[in-house]
Amino acid sequence: MTDLFAPLQSLKQGDWFKLICGASFQHLPAVRSLTLAYTLAGADCIDVAADPAVIAAAQAGLQVAKSLAKDAQKRGFDYKGNSPFLMVSLNDGEDPHFRKAEFNPTECPTDCPRPCERICPAQAIVFNNIKEDFSGVVSEKCYGCGRCIPVCPYDRIYTSSTVTTPGAIAPLVMSTGVDAVEIHTQVGRLAEFEQLWQAISPWVDQLKLLAISCPDGEGMTDYLRALYDLIAPLKGALIWQTDGRPMSGDIGDGTTIAAVKLGQKVLAAKLPGYVQLAGGTNSYTVAKLKAMGLLKEAGGQGVGGRGEEFFPLLPAPCPPSSIAGVAYGSYARVLLSPILEQLENKEVSNTNVKATVRLEEDDILLWQAVELAHSLVSQIKSQQER
């Protein structure tokens, strides 16, 4: 069972780190490996697709991490065997996080330079894959960033989206024992949000955490207040995720600015709960927050807020002037992509072995992955080590 104290304490301290595997990312070996590496590196939360197979892959990664706790400590990583929260993402309507690219490769001209293949950060677009005898979009790897769409010279790429069917998905997902749920919404979808909320409400009391992710828009703060009035009171912690520039953190340092600006806007609204950045976050984010004085100082005390009377283990929210944490998606995944690619190549070379190569089975690649993950996690965790 997840140690309740550690992740919530990180929220209170203002050094919360969340890994976003991707709301539509369903490549099971990668989910398992990412979960394992970032857990050993000290992540507080792992956010995955609301798919039982994906959830099971993440849970497998968490279990392996527990068995490697002592090894991690010997190597200087501050992981004590406390599992991060396992979170699933749901949506109340159309959302770019819940889409996938599609195209018919037989319609592609043979002389096309294939810019879609080069630009895809997930390596989800392939042509003439020898191992699988396949061309097109590898659906389980695509997480819907959409970068391939505008670069196609022939305008042949489109997207298909998945919208949560509340009555069907809620029992299926909530029965898997997840710790947290994140709801992706947009301004003006109060009725749709309420429908989804009613579907998951029978399980809400068992959750440790609820996150609400919303991009900027006219009337956003009023919309968020309306959402709070709908869901209050909560027994678990509440996070407002500021989705600045979705799925763009690996493009360049400047993408984090939108996330920081939106974080400031939500902080100014002084809503109950915590504010956590996402959408364009990368290696520049924590430095930007520090420079702007938006991270909580080490040793500072939180300010109490609504919710504690319902859940005595819930830590006090951070002061309204502080960002409680940062979530990393595309940047965190791309950071480890060279390691994951090497694992896949090992599967290709071991043609006589049908079992996939798992990260923990290659000691060198495992700790290289953890070191890379730790280089990102430690940026915000170092706030409390001063």
Side-chain angles (χ1 to χ4, degrees):
M1 182 177 179
T2 297
D3 183 338
L4 194 60
F5 176 76
L8 292 181
Q9 185 65 19
S10 294
L11 276 176
K12 181 179 180 180
Q13 293 172 170
D15 64 353
W16 163 271
F17 180 102
K18 184 176 86 167
L19 167 69
I20 303 173
C21 284
S24 62
F25 187 65
Q26 295 162 303
H27 190 238
L28 304 183
V31 169
R32 189 182 188 280
S33 295
L34 288 166
T35 299
L36 172 57
Y38 276 96
T39 297
L40 291 172
D44 297 295
C45 184
I46 310 293
D47 184 358
V48 301
D51 178 320
V54 174
I55 295 168
Q59 289 171 331
L62 293 175
Q63 286 301 313
V64 174
K66 277 183 174 292
S67 71
L68 294 170
K70 290 184 179 179
D71 288 344
Q73 292 167 24
K74 289 178 182 178
R75 293 172 180 269
F77 300 109
D78 190 30
Y79 172 68
K80 299 179 176 62
N82 300 323
S83 291
F85 286 165
L86 183 57
M87 172 184 284
V88 295
S89 286
L90 305 175
N91 57 324
D92 63 9
E94 291 284 339
D95 189 282
H97 298 89
F98 297 80
R99 68 181 182 182
K100 291 181 181 292
E102 294 183 9
F103 68 90
N104 184 349
T106 63
E107 297 178 355
C108 298
T110 55
D111 61 347
C112 179
R114 300 171 181 171
C116 59
E117 186 177 24
R118 294 195 303 272
I119 203 171
C120 179
Q123 298 178 320
I125 297 178
V126 297
F127 289 90
N128 304 317
N129 181 283
I130 298 174
K131 181 183 177 184
E132 304 291 343
D133 188 24
F134 174 80
S135 293
V137 178
V138 182
S139 181
E140 63 267 24
K141 287 187 176 183
C142 177
Y143 58 83
C145 70
R147 296 177 209 174
C148 56
I149 298 172
V151 303
C152 177
Y154 302 98
D155 196 28
R156 298 282 172 82
I157 304 176
Y158 58 97
T159 61
S160 61
S161 297
T162 301
V163 178
T164 300
T165 305
I169 196 69
L172 183 66
V173 171
M174 302 304 294
S175 62
T176 60
V178 297
D179 301 294
V181 165
E182 178 169 281
I183 299 177
H184 288 257
T185 188
Q186 294 182 21
V187 178
R189 293 213 297 236
L190 186 61
E192 293 87 347
F193 183 98
E194 183 173 11
Q195 182 183 12
L196 177 56
W197 183 249
Q198 288 175 349
I200 68 173
S201 59
W203 293 273
V204 166
D205 286 354
Q206 75 185 38
L207 296 176
K208 315 295 191 307
L209 172 71
L210 173 71
I212 296 176
S213 180
C214 186
D216 201 2
E218 186 177 352
M220 184 194 71
T221 53
D222 288 339
Y223 179 64
L224 297 185
R225 288 191 185 97
L227 295 181
Y228 183 80
D229 290 340
L230 178 64
I231 65 177
L234 285 174
K235 285 191 175 181
L238 174 64
I239 285 178
W240 302 103
Q241 177 167 289
T242 61
D243 197 8
R245 187 175 167 186
M247 298 174 286
S248 66
D250 59 307
I251 295 176
D253 289 347
T255 61
T256 200
I257 294 174
V260 174
K261 286 184 176 179
L262 188 53
Q264 288 178 296
K265 182 175 181 177
V266 177
L267 284 173
K270 297 184 179 180
L271 295 159
Y274 299 95
V275 178
Q276 171 229 279
L277 301 190
T281 52
N282 49 39
S283 61
Y284 180 70
T285 305
V286 171
K288 182 72 172 175
L289 290 172
K290 287 180 179 178
M292 298 178 68
L294 290 173
L295 285 178
K296 187 178 179 183
E297 292 296 323
Q301 297 298 314
V303 176
R306 283 180 283 178
E308 291 175 90
E309 64 270 33
F310 305 107
F311 194 12
L313 290 177
L314 176 63
C318 287
S321 60
S322 301
I323 295 294
V326 182
Y328 298 85
S330 57
Y331 182 83
R333 297 191 298 270
V334 169
L335 187 64
L336 264 61
S337 61
I339 304 293
L340 304 186
E341 185 177 1
Q342 287 184 64
L343 283 178
E344 284 200 56
N345 289 338
K346 285 198 166 197
E347 293 179 44
V348 174
S349 62
N350 295 339
T351 53
N352 295 325
V353 181
K354 292 187 177 180
T356 58
V357 178
R358 293 175 172 173
L359 183 57
E360 69 273 16
E361 295 170 350
D362 188 312
D363 203 55
I364 293 176
L365 290 182
L366 168 64
W367 297 110
Q368 285 179 350
V370 177
E371 186 66 46
L372 284 170
H374 186 260
S375 70
L376 185 58
V377 176
S378 62
Q379 290 183 13
I380 193 164
K381 294 297 182 183
S382 65
Q383 280 290 104
Q384 299 304 321
E385 296 171 1
R386 297 196 308 255

